[in-house]
Amino acid sequence: MNVVVVGAGLAGLTAAAELVARGAEVTVLEARERVGGRTRGLEVEPGGWVDAGAAYLGERHTALTALLAELDLKTTPATVAGASRFALRDAGRTRPGRFPPLSAVALGEMFDALEEVTRLVRPDAPWLTEDAARLDGVTVERWAAERLRHPDARLFLPLFLGEMMAADPARVSVLHMAFYLRSGGGIRYLNAFEGGAQEWRIAGGAHQLCERLAAGLGERVRLGEPVLALHQDAGGVTAVTPRGRVRGAHAVVAVPPVLADAIDHRPGPPAPRSTPVTGPGCAVKVHLVYPSPLWRGLGLSGWSVSAEGPLLSTVDDSPAGGRAGVLTGFVTGAEAVRYAALPASGQRELAVAQAARLFPELPPPTAFHLTDWVHEPYSRGCYAALFGPGDWLRLGPGLTAPHGRVHWAGTETSTEFFGLMEGAIRSGHRVAAEITWRETP
Amino acid sequence: MNVDAVSAVFREVLEISEINADSDFFVMGGDSLLATRVLSAVARASGVELEFDDLLDAPTPGALSKKIAGAA
């Protein structure tokens, strides 16, 4: 049996490796000239890599942890000690720890409200949540305007959602927010570094996961071959690419929902994978490189949070064991869309100027890198697709249901750890099992 | 708010039952995110708006109830 896998990100390559292990023939067709999808490595100094895409994991990410062990990759702690910088109500405040200089009572109200809706959602099938129609019909922005009274809570919610899920509150439904937070382990787990979803990074970069999986698959992985069409007949599936046709008994579509819909499916699937309000995850990642992590010597962690963009938060992402200091800036939500539309020179100027205001003790960075996921044609956003109002009710029931011989994978098909590397890997295992089961006499 | 009422808030936020007047919120598993939920519950019940540093200063139901009484 041959299986055609569309997309060489974590989901597609996990599925491919597992199918090969179970004795199947596999052809992986990847549109880009690289594997990795929404993981991507950036070499900031010889042998020193940072993550331009997905980066973090925690101990609940068991499928990822198992994959790391299998591929002989190690983790490195993401927590860095020291004081934080905040530019929220006033500029340049230094505080110990990560707690922002805002009303704790206001933040408590916000987390109470988030906790309340997060508990309501049915995590395995959010569209079946009691009151799903109401929760799916309203944007987070409208819900927050009614539910949050304190100005500090209203100020902080978009920053929190930007960090957690790269979302603009005006574009996602309350049901999607609640589901996303629940799926990732709850607000507390998702928010935490130590003991949470940001406990570790992967030593040497998360991109090595896909590179090593692809190395194991060898010539089965074909780069630069976007799948334009999937034609099904009684005997199998034909994938059409600009270079030719690949035949399989089954196909796995392991790309984000908007891109899955861009494939010419014949016959067409009974329901779409996305709608006009399914938005891209809104994230631009900026890396500012310094001769060394100079802020550590000043008692600073490199962590900052700002109310004004572009760099809504920064974190110390210096490669472990290397020399360079790297501050990663996160531009998320509505700010990412605005920033991504600027010319490159303006992007650099704004980010460097903001870093200088936040950390006036630092010299200008020696290098600047920017990764725009919003406009990435073969990702269409990062961390993950954002379900807009009405999307869960329309798309949820068909999330994992195969369309004949076409099976769906990708982090957006995993109700566990949706949007994370963990969700992608779990979807790969799920789809490999699905095909194996179908082929078992 | 008396000690018992503050203990009840700790139990609800931490989702554990073994809390007494001397239980340290941060030792019992509290973090800064959960701390804000204690402070919002205190504000709702007593009208007193404390800051994060107040809970760091007075991390037990006994100490926090004194702080609330002092601020009221």
Side-chain angles (χ1 to χ4, degrees):
Chain A
M1 174 188 61
N2 190 44
V3 178
V4 180
V5 176
V6 183
L10 267 175
L13 292 176
T14 300
E18 191 166 327
L19 286 163
V20 166
R22 293 181 187 213
E25 296 291 315
V26 167
T27 310
V28 182
L29 298 170
E30 167 57 43
R32 293 180 172 105
E33 294 295 342
R34 64 168 180 87
V35 298
R38 288 169 270 181
T39 61
R40 185 173 191 178
L42 194 64
E43 194 173 22
V44 293
E45 64 181 335
W49 292 81
V50 296
D51 293 303
Y56 298 105
L57 70 145
E59 69 171 8
R60 293 192 199 171
H61 300 166
T62 50
L64 175 51
T65 308
L67 183 61
L68 288 169
E70 214 173 284
L71 298 174
D72 197 25
L73 290 167
K74 303 277 177 276
T75 59
T76 176
T79 46
V80 177
S84 309
R85 279 277 154 80
F86 295 96
L88 294 167
R89 294 268 174 230
D90 41 15
R93 288 263 298 269
T94 307
R95 307 229 327 170
R98 286 179 66 215
F99 197 84
L102 295 172
S103 158
V105 171
L107 298 185
E109 273 183 11
M110 185 196 88
F111 288 126
D112 287 339
L114 290 175
E115 184 70 27
E116 190 188 300
V117 290
T118 302
R119 272 173 200 272
L120 285 178
V121 77
R122 190 175 144 176
D124 63 323
W127 61 96
L128 298 179
T129 300
E130 201 183 324
D131 220 6
R134 186 180 61 86
L135 294 169
D136 204 29
V138 61
T139 64
V140 172
E141 184 178 55
R142 265 191 54 199
W143 168 85
E146 281 168 25
R147 187 68 175 74
L148 304 178
R149 278 163 308 155
H150 199 294
D152 280 7
R154 293 180 178 190
L155 173 81
F156 199 66
L157 180 71
L159 300 174
F160 183 74
L161 283 190
E163 228 174 82
M164 293 299 107
M165 52 192 288
D168 172 358
R171 304 243 179 265
V172 288
S173 72
V174 174
L175 185 62
H176 186 59
M177 171 186 75
F179 160 74
Y180 191 100
L181 297 173
R182 178 76 174 268
S183 170
I187 50 177
R188 188 183 176 206
Y189 187 75
L190 267 179
N191 180 55
F193 277 80
E194 215 175 319
Q198 282 78 230
E199 178 129 36
W200 304 297
R201 290 180 279 145
I202 296 165
H207 63 287
Q208 297 170 102
L209 286 164
C210 286
E211 287 184 356
R212 292 193 182 185
L213 281 170
L217 292 164
E219 291 181 355
R220 298 182 186 93
V221 181
R222 287 156 57 167
L223 301 178
E225 264 202 87
V227 170
L228 308 172
L230 286 172
H231 297 169
Q232 293 190 56
D233 52 55
V237 191
T238 302
V240 182
T241 81
R243 285 199 218 153
R245 289 161 183 264
V246 184
R247 182 81 177 160
H250 295 271
V252 172
V253 175
V255 298
V258 173
L259 295 170
D261 276 343
I263 296 170
D264 179 20
H265 293 276
R266 293 189 198 170
R273 314 291 305 158
S274 65
T275 76
V277 295
T278 310
C282 301
V284 176
K285 224 168 165 181
V286 164
H287 293 97
L288 302 162
V289 185
Y290 298 87
S292 69
L294 300 163
W295 48 90
R296 292 182 193 167
L298 305 165
L300 296 168
S301 64
W303 176 258
S304 74
V305 181
S306 299
E308 303 279 326
L311 310 181
L312 299 178
S313 62
T314 62
V315 64
D316 182 339
D317 260 347
S318 309
R323 216 180 260 203
V326 178
L327 281 183
T328 298
F330 286 89
V331 192
T332 54
E335 185 61 31
V337 177
R338 275 195 294 275
Y339 186 64
L342 298 175
S345 60
Q347 289 172 331
R348 181 183 178 126
E349 197 180 312
L350 282 175
V352 170
Q354 187 173 4
R357 286 196 304 277
L358 279 166
F359 300 105
E361 341 31 15
L362 298 183
T366 53
F368 172 85
H369 305 276
L370 181 144
T371 311
D372 173 4
W373 290 102
V374 182
H375 291 116
E376 183 68 37
Y378 291 118
S379 295
R380 299 277 198 97
C382 196
Y383 321 152
L386 296 170
F387 285 13
D391 271 354
W392 267 112
L393 289 188
R394 279 193 70 187
L395 306 174
L399 200 67
T400 59
H403 165 43
R405 295 172 172 276
V406 174
H407 305 256
W408 312 105
T411 193
E412 288 94 346
T413 68
S414 177
T415 52
E416 297 162 339
F417 302 97
F418 180 107
L420 307 184
M421 292 189 278
E422 178 70 12
I425 295 166
R426 290 191 187 200
S427 81
H429 291 312
R430 192 254 308 141
V431 87
E434 197 175 286
I435 291 170
T436 308
W437 182 80
R438 279 268 289 270
E439 288 294 322
T440 306
Chain B
M1 282 176 95
N2 63 24
V3 179
D4 290 345
V6 176
S7 301
V9 169
F10 275 31
R11 280 188 204 105
E12 196 195 318
V13 169
L14 290 168
E15 297 179 37
I16 50 172
S17 51
E18 49 284 11
I19 294 289
N20 61 46
D22 300 321
S23 302
D24 186 308
F25 179 75
F26 297 99
V27 173
M28 300 307 282
D31 60 6
S32 61
L33 192 154
L34 292 185
T36 68
R37 299 189 52 221
V38 167
L39 298 171
S40 68
V42 166
R44 270 196 304 277
S46 70
V48 172
E49 295 206 1
L50 297 176
E51 287 304 325
F52 180 62
D53 291 348
D54 294 321
L55 187 58
L56 283 179
D57 258 9
T60 66
L64 194 62
S65 65
K66 284 196 192 106
K67 196 151 246 193
I68 296 163

